[in-house]
């Protein structure tokens, strides 16, 4: 594929100082002093216990489980499945995945809203394609296919029938006298686990905007991650929402979920109100079926090569002359910038000069996004409200060929809440915005998940207590303190998968997979040596934390320019759980660090007992 730079407005066409001022003004009117506290995750009334509700599968009764395990893997999404896969590669078989969902899938189990697809290229996002022999049907695979693939991995590697589903962890407590974790659940289980892998997910705990009056509404309410097809009609596989034909529907949010769901709601509902605080940037979405000839041309190692190429083009720096294999909106900025650099003979620039050049390309790309809204939306005033005025990667970039055209339909109304930092009030009959009451039958919250909030809100466990009863929540009150982003002092035989002080990869499954590989090796090697406990020492943890801090790239100035979103920690400064804290020397350097550590076999920074 010949991947060329995109057709963007020339820099001469843009008044960058005026645009910068516009960006700041749009940011300022949306900033909320409550930051993440403006959201709630335990809804009132019919949304009570939102996290535990499963509209997809009934909870089957079962007897409590009493057993000892070598490993309890908490989670059945990609993080948990990758941990289990790598455990099998280490010869560890006495483990279970435990998840409060009814099956494997994680975020893909819960999210079954109409139109759900991968919004990263599937050939990178779906791990282990060469190992399993599976190939996605399309460039952006549909949600049900991805959920099925996660189960396929579990079945192929022999751990599918050992999972405990519809089982919610309530507490984890280390018992030093027996050197095991007590794993407590809402099903009365008594599980003793030598090791615990915390693959709890990133997009697992749904959140709701704390809108005044949210409990008063008499109509139907649900979150997109708990979609109720009994109410809307249709199914995830066949999203014909025929029961909405006589319904007035509001969807709150215009992020990644709403971009995909809005066209289906617009097609089906009597009237649809799209409630927006901050518009997304929405690119084209070419999604052809996977080409059999391309599959036949692939050579061994193709997926890791593609993932590495995507990482350099989307998140770091491509090599001079390196082709862009993925060639989409994630890689556009580096592609266009590097084309300019090539034309100029790759000039030697200071860091400040390079970042200034990169910023101009950023403005050009965002202007391209804005002009696309003008092209596809017939009402210029409406198009203006749907334009993104912020830097690229202030919010998650998205793609859809049907989102903007949906607003040309007479039954679709955009409700802009930017001047009030979100929807003002919910009433018994609907909602109020700017003095107007809108009566609706149904409110759907496309309001996302707890991503960068404190652990208690994201995990929902009553306690995670390590040696001497120390709470992990207190230990990490101001952010993670780890060795390699995977283990921490005071919590023996516990391993973490997520955005936790490690390497950062543009393909989240690659990132989680490498953390899982590292954890599984430690567990396997501990067993091979006939030892019971692996624990990071205080000195090992502090040394890694100091090293991480010394090389960390400071992105606070960039984030301070952004409109609030989970990408920018809702505008919170010095957020303890900033999503994109990364190993400063880059992904390959972090991989080299942990690979070299394992090859040395000395467990430097850890103690084995």
């Amino acid at each position: 594929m010949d991947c060329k730079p995109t057709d963007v407005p020339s820099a001469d066409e843009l008044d960058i100082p005026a645009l910068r001022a516009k960006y700041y003004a749009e940011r300022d009117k949306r900033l909320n002093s409550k930051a993440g506290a403006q959201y709630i995750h335990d809804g009132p009334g019919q949304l009570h216990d939102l996290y535990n509700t499963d509209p997809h599968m009934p909870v089957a009764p079962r007897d409590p489980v009493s057993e000892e395990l070598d490993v309890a893997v908490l989670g059945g999404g990609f993080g948990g499945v990758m941990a289990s896969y790598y455990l099998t590669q280490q010869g560890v078989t006495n483990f279970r995945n435990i998840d409060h969902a009814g099956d494997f899938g994680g975020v893909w189990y819960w999210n079954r809203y109409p139109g759900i697809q991968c919004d990263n290229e599937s050939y990178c996002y779906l791990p282990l394609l060469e190992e399993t022999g599976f190939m996605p049907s399309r460039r952006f695979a549909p949600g049900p296919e991805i959920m099925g693939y996660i189960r396929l991995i579990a079945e192929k590697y022999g751990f599918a029938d050992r999972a405990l589903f519809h089982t919610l962890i309530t507490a984890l407590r280390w018992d030093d006298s027996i050197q095991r974790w007590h794993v407590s659940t809402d099903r009365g289980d008594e599980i003793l686990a030598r090791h615990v892998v915390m693959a709890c997910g990133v997009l697992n705990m749904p959140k709701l905007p704390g809108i005044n009056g949210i409990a008063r509404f008499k109509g139907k309410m649900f979150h997109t991650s708990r979609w109720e097809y009994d109410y809307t009609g249709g199914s995830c596989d066949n999203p014909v929402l025929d029961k909405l034909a006589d319904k007035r529907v509001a969807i709150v949010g215009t992020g990644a979920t709403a971009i995909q769901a809005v066209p289906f709601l617009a097609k089906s509902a009597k009237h649809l109100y799209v409630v927006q605080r901050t518009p997304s940037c929405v690119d084209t979405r070419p999604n052809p079926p996977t080409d059999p000839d391309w599959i036949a041309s692939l050579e061994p190692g193709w997926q890791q090569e593609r993932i590495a190429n995507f990482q350099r083009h989307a998140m770091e720096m491509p090599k001079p002359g390196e082709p862009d294999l993925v060639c989409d909106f994630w890689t556009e900025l580096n592609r266009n910038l590097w084309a300019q650099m090539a034309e100029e003979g790759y000039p030697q620039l200071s860091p400040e000069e390079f970042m200034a050049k990169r910023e101009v390309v950023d403005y050009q790309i965002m202007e391209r996004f804005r002009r696309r809204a003008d092209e596809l939306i017939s009402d210029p005033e409406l198009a203006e409200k749907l334009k993104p005025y912020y830097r690229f990667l202030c919010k998650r970039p998205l793609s859809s060929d049907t989102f903007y055209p949906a607003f040309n339909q007479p039954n679709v109304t955009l409700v802009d809440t930017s001047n009030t930092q979100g929807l003002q009030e919910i009433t018994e009959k609907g909602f109020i915005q700017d003095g107007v009451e809108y009566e609706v039958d149904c409110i759907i919250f496309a309001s996302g998940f707890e991503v960068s909030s404190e652990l208690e809100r994201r995990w929902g466990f009553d306690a995670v207590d390590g040696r001497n009863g120390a709470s992990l929540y207190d230990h990490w009150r101001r952010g993670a303190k780890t060795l390699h982003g995977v283990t921490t002092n005071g919590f023996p035989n516990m391993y973490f998968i997520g955005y936790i002080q490690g390497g950062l990869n543009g393909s989240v499954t690659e990132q989680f997979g490498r953390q899982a590989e590292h954890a599984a090796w430690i567990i396997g090697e501990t067993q091979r040596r006939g030892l019971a406990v692996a624990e990071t020492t205080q000195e090992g943890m502090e040394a890694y934390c100091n090293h991480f801090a010394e090389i960390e790239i400071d992105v606070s100035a960039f984030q301070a320019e952004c409109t609030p979103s989970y990408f920018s920690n809702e505008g919170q400064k010095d957020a303890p759980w900033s999503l994109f804290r990364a190993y400063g020397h880059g992904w390959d350097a972090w991989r080299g660090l942990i690979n070299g550590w394992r090859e040395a076999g000395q467990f430097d920074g850890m103690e084995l007992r």
Side-chain angles (χ1 to χ4, degrees):
M1 178 177 62
D2 185 14
C3 183
K4 298 183 182 301
T6 54
D7 184 14
V8 296
S10 71
D12 294 339
E13 294 180 50
L14 306 179
D15 184 343
I16 290 179
L19 280 171
R20 185 179 291 115
K22 173 73 169 175
Y23 285 12
Y24 290 163
E26 294 297 314
R27 172 204 62 187
D28 290 347
K29 71 182 183 181
R30 291 173 172 86
L31 283 174
N32 190 318
S33 60
K34 293 181 180 179
Q38 66 189 286
Y39 297 100
I40 57 178
H41 71 267
D42 188 13
Q46 60 180 291
L47 291 171
H48 181 65
D49 207 17
L50 172 66
Y51 180 58
N52 292 338
T53 301
D54 186 350
H56 309 310
M57 186 181 297
V59 178
R62 66 167 176 83
D63 294 331
V65 172
S66 179
E67 65 181 2
E68 293 192 16
L69 297 171
D70 287 337
V71 191
V73 180
L74 307 190
F78 269 124
V81 165
M82 293 300 286
S84 296
Y85 164 77
Y86 281 110
L87 286 170
T88 65
Q89 303 306 293
Q90 291 292 328
V92 179
T93 58
N94 181 26
F95 65 84
R96 283 188 188 272
N97 294 82
I98 305 173
D99 200 302
H100 76 291
D103 200 349
F104 287 102
V107 68
W108 298 101
Y109 176 89
W110 293 110
N111 282 277
R112 305 194 197 188
Y113 56 81
I116 182 170
Q117 292 178 337
C118 191
D119 62 3
N120 289 66
E121 188 194 70
S122 304
Y123 314 125
C124 289
Y125 177 75
L126 270 62
L128 305 176
L129 293 180
E130 290 187 78
E131 291 81 352
T132 61
F134 181 85
M135 186 60 77
S137 64
R138 312 186 77 84
R139 187 181 188 193
F140 300 105
E145 179 178 307
I146 298 173
M147 180 184 166
Y149 178 62
I150 296 172
R151 169 159 273 282
L152 180 152
I153 296 172
E155 291 173 348
K156 182 175 180 65
Y157 294 99
F159 54 86
D161 60 351
R162 298 202 298 268
L164 285 180
F165 292 122
H166 280 148
T167 300
L168 187 66
I169 303 297
T170 55
L172 300 165
R173 291 185 170 90
W174 173 254
D175 188 335
D176 215 35
S177 66
I178 58 173
Q179 296 178 327
R180 283 174 172 79
W181 286 95
H182 289 270
V183 182
S184 302
T185 78
D186 67 341
R187 306 296 290 266
D189 304 314
E190 289 296 332
I191 298 171
L192 296 177
R194 180 73 74 185
H195 302 264
V196 173
V197 178
M198 307 290 281
C200 309
V202 177
L203 305 177
N204 64 300
M205 183 67 74
K207 67 183 181 183
L208 300 165
I211 303 169
N212 181 35
I214 190 172
R216 294 203 302 261
F217 184 60
K218 300 295 187 183
K220 184 68 176 177
M221 292 193 294
F222 58 85
H223 191 276
T224 49
S225 68
R226 302 296 188 271
W227 195 277
E228 298 192 26
Y229 283 104
D230 286 347
Y231 180 83
T232 66
S235 66
C236 188
D237 291 305
N238 183 32
V240 179
L241 312 179
D242 54 300
K243 293 184 180 180
L244 298 181
D246 62 345
K247 301 292 193 299
R248 300 158 298 177
V249 179
I251 184 167
V252 180
T254 51
T257 295
I259 295 301
Q260 296 182 334
V262 158
F264 292 90
L265 291 168
K267 189 182 298 184
S268 303
K270 177 181 179 181
H271 200 93
L272 176 65
Y273 297 97
V274 181
V275 180
Q276 171 184 274
R277 181 183 68 171
T278 307
S280 293
C281 50
V282 186
D283 202 3
T284 58
R285 191 174 183 82
N287 194 18
T290 301
D291 182 358
D293 291 337
W294 174 71
I295 297 174
S297 73
L298 297 173
E299 297 181 357
W302 72 267
Q303 190 182 30
Q304 280 300 307
E305 178 187 354
R306 194 175 188 88
I307 290 171
N309 178 273
F310 176 66
Q311 170 69 7
R312 287 189 290 271
H313 280 84
M315 302 293 291
E316 296 180 2
M317 293 293 171
K319 302 171 185 177
E322 179 183 14
D324 180 354
L325 299 179
V326 173
C327 198
D328 68 3
F329 56 96
W330 289 99
T331 62
E332 178 183 11
L333 201 158
N334 265 337
R335 187 187 332 139
N336 290 9
L337 175 60
W338 243 239
Q340 286 188 22
M341 297 282 283
E343 287 180 2
E344 298 167 7
Y346 297 106
Q348 295 297 313
L349 302 175
S350 68
E352 293 77 16
E353 290 171 330
F354 178 80
M355 293 309 294
K357 181 181 285 288
R358 194 175 195 277
E359 183 181 16
V360 172
V361 177
D362 190 312
Y363 277 101
Q364 290 175 293
I365 289 171
M366 293 305 293
E367 182 64 21
R368 180 182 73 77
F369 278 118
R370 290 188 287 269
R371 293 185 183 185
R372 183 168 184 265
D374 284 327
E375 293 168 3
L376 295 178
I377 299 170
S378 56
D379 181 347
E381 184 177 346
L382 177 59
E384 186 63 28
K385 291 179 180 178
L386 285 159
K387 291 179 182 178
Y389 284 98
Y390 45 77
R391 295 278 298 277
F392 187 70
L393 288 186
C394 278
K395 280 175 64 72
R396 184 178 183 87
L398 306 169
S399 60
S400 171
D401 292 335
T402 54
F403 178 71
Y404 284 150
F407 288 92
N408 295 326
Q409 298 177 207
N411 68 323
V412 178
T413 300
L414 180 72
V415 180
D416 180 24
T417 69
S418 58
N419 288 321
T420 55
Q421 301 173 346
L423 194 59
Q424 288 178 291
E425 184 177 355
I426 292 178
T427 66
E428 289 187 4
K429 297 180 179 181
F431 61 91
I432 295 175
Q433 182 63 34
D434 297 326
V436 178
E437 181 170 13
Y438 299 82
E439 293 190 5
V440 295
D441 302 291
C442 175
I443 300 176
I444 301 170
F445 293 98
S447 44
F449 301 85
E450 301 281 0
V451 173
S452 56
S453 54
E454 60 271 19
L455 288 180
E456 292 97 322
R457 287 180 66 142
R458 281 185 279 146
W459 288 352
F461 306 152
D462 294 336
V464 182
D465 295 341
R467 265 191 306 107
N468 303 318
S471 168
L472 182 68
Y473 296 148
D474 293 335
H475 181 51
W476 283 1
R477 186 63 60 192
R478 292 301 305 164
K481 296 182 290 184
T482 73
L483 175 66
H484 302 155
V486 175
T487 65
T488 192
N489 174 251
F491 295 81
N493 294 357
M494 179 171 277
Y495 312 88
F496 305 96
I497 293 176
Y499 290 92
I500 300 175
Q501 207 182 41
L504 179 66
N505 196 279
S507 182
V508 66
T509 53
E510 172 70 3
Q511 179 175 326
F512 288 5
R514 296 308 168 188
Q515 291 171 311
E517 180 184 39
H518 195 50
W521 184 89
I522 295 171
I523 293 168
E525 188 64 14
T526 302
Q527 289 193 347
R528 285 187 286 272
R529 297 186 186 196
L531 298 169
V533 176
E535 181 182 353
T536 295
T537 63
Q538 180 73 20
E539 296 76 16
M541 180 184 73
E542 289 178 354
Y544 179 79
C545 288
N546 290 338
H547 170 62
F548 188 90
E550 286 170 2
I551 66 172
E552 186 174 9
I553 298 172
D554 184 1
V555 296
S556 59
F558 170 79
Q559 290 189 334
E561 296 180 16
C562 289
T563 48
S565 76
Y566 76 87
F567 265 38
S568 62
N569 311 299
E570 296 294 342
Q572 182 182 1
K573 295 181 179 178
D574 300 320
W577 290 99
S578 177
L579 185 63
F580 295 131
R581 293 192 64 192
Y583 189 75
H585 289 163
W587 174 254
D588 289 343
W590 180 78
R591 286 283 314 279
L593 176 73
I594 62 172
N595 288 345
W597 184 90
R598 295 200 299 265
E599 289 168 6
Q602 300 300 309
F603 279 81
D604 187 34
M606 293 191 79
E607 178 187 3
L608 301 183
R609 298 193 295 275

